[in-house]
């Protein structure tokens, strides 16, 4: 892994923008996108840029189960608010959180990932080491699946909702096996609460106890972490 340590999330967003810029220049046309607070500074940079994604495909990591795309808390709404209203992609794919047939939706998403292999996959990391919604204990070979969110993830995501009881308990997520198929992976991590997960991901054992440690198996990973998130790394 290539580790880039930055002062803060704002500087991290600028560094991440450069990764997107280089990937697009070099012919990448399928971008795996993430949600949550971590990639926001990156999306600010992308939105304000002159990069043209009109011939590119975006494929999101995950979506809450039980939320309609129009729900303001859905990841569809998040992407529209933070990126898609500024940058138009040729096609943008997200899991359908309102799908009635869970297995059919999982199959649909896996087929999309085969049809459109991801060139650059953007990730954040949870305090417990999750990537996407792949919680500790997730298989490193699993593809798209339905996930029961852990209590720690529910609590962490409750800041986006009026009340913790409103946070969905299940989500669709690309599996770790899906994520590892990307040609290049860019993971961002900011703040002291991510420090334990970052050191486990980079310098800990390869273990399902830290899902992000699976990235040790990938040949092309860039980690952008601020000083606080990188504080436990030993060099």
């Amino acid at each position: 892994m290539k580790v880039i340590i930055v002062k803060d999330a704002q500087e991290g967003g600028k560094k991440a923008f450069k990764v997107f810029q280089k990937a697009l220049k070099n012919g990448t046309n399928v971008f795996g996108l993430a949600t949550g607070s971590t990639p926001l500074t990156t999306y600010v940079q992308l939105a304000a840029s002159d990069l043209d994604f009109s011939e590119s495909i975006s494929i999101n990591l995950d979506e809450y189960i039980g939320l309609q795309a129009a729900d303001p808390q859905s990841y569809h709404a998040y992407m529209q608010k933070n990126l898609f209203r500024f940058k138009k992609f040729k096609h943008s794919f997200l899991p359908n959180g309102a799908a009635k047939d869970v297995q059919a939706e999982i199959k649909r998403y896996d087929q999309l990932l085969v049809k459109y292999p991801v060139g650059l996959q953007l990730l954040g990391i949870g305090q417990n080491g999750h990537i996407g919604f792949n919680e500790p204990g997730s298989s490193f070979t699993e593809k798209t699946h339905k996930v029961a969110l852990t209590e720690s993830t529910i609590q962490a995501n409750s800041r986006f909702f009026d009340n913790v009881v409103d946070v969905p308990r299940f989500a669709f997520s690309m599996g770790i096996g899906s994520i590892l198929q990307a040609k290049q992976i860019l993971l961002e991590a900011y703040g002291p609460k991510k420090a334990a997960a970052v050191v486990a991901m980079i310098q800990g054992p390869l273990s399902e106890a830290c899902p992000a440690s699976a990235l040790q198996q990938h040949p092309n990973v860039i980690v952008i972490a601020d000083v606080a998130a990188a504080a436990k790394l030993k060099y």
Side-chain angles (χ1 to χ4, degrees), residues 120-142:
L120 174 63
Q121 177 65 60
L122 178 62
L123 298 174
I125 185 170
Q127 295 178 35
N128 62 4
H130 74 245
I131 48 176
F133 274 128
N134 297 288
E135 302 284 6
S138 297
S139 166
F140 287 175
T141 61
E142 192 157 31

Side-chain angles (χ1 to χ4, degrees), residues 18-227:
K18 294 292 187 182
V19 176
F20 272 82
Q21 184 182 47
K22 183 177 179 180
L24 192 63
K25 181 180 179 181
N26 289 344
T28 295
N29 67 346
V30 181
F31 295 87
L33 301 179
T35 52
S37 57
T38 297
L40 285 175
T41 57
T42 300
Y43 291 152
V44 167
Q45 294 293 319
L46 292 173
S49 76
D50 61 358
L51 296 187
D52 182 5
F53 293 98
S54 62
E55 294 300 317
S56 299
I57 305 294
S58 71
I59 304 183
N60 265 73
L61 275 170
D62 42 32
E63 177 61 284
Y64 290 119
I65 290 177
L67 297 187
Q68 299 285 338
D71 189 297
Q73 300 297 348
S74 75
Y75 288 154
H76 282 75
Y78 170 103
M79 291 306 304
Q80 182 62 31
K81 176 183 178 182
N82 293 298
L83 185 62
F84 293 159
R85 66 191 175 111
F86 304 106
K87 293 294 179 182
K88 303 301 182 185
F89 287 74
K90 185 174 183 178
H91 297 293
S92 290
F93 300 106
L94 292 91
N96 177 10
K100 300 298 183 184
D101 188 331
V102 169
Q103 291 307 314
E105 179 59 13
I106 288 171
K107 182 178 180 181
R108 179 187 78 90
Y109 220 64
D110 280 338
Q111 289 173 339
L112 281 173
L113 290 166
V114 171
K115 184 176 181 179
Y116 302 111
V118 174
L120 174 63
Q121 177 65 60
L122 178 62
L123 298 174
I125 185 170
Q127 295 178 35
N128 62 4
H130 74 245
I131 48 176
F133 274 128
N134 297 288
E135 302 284 6
S138 297
S139 166
F140 287 175
T141 61
E142 192 157 31
K143 299 300 178 69
T144 306
H145 57 135
K146 178 182 177 180
V147 182
L149 305 186
T150 63
E151 187 59 34
S152 65
T153 297
I154 290 168
Q155 291 295 329
N157 287 2
S158 66
R159 68 189 185 278
F160 301 115
F161 292 79
D162 292 335
N163 192 300
V164 68
V165 300
D166 297 328
V167 183
R169 266 47 186 175
F170 296 92
F172 288 117
S173 181
M174 283 189 204
I176 295 173
S178 306
I179 291 168
L180 291 176
Q181 292 299 306
K183 183 177 179 180
Q184 182 179 30
I185 293 173
L186 169 62
L187 184 143
E188 299 181 62
Y190 305 120
K193 292 182 178 179
K194 301 296 179 71
V198 167
V199 71
M201 169 181 65
I202 298 173
Q203 297 178 340
L206 187 66
S207 170
E208 291 179 358
C210 177
S213 70
L215 300 183
Q216 295 174 20
Q217 302 177 100
H218 194 281
N220 191 1
V221 177
I222 297 173
V223 176
I224 298 175
D226 68 1
V227 173

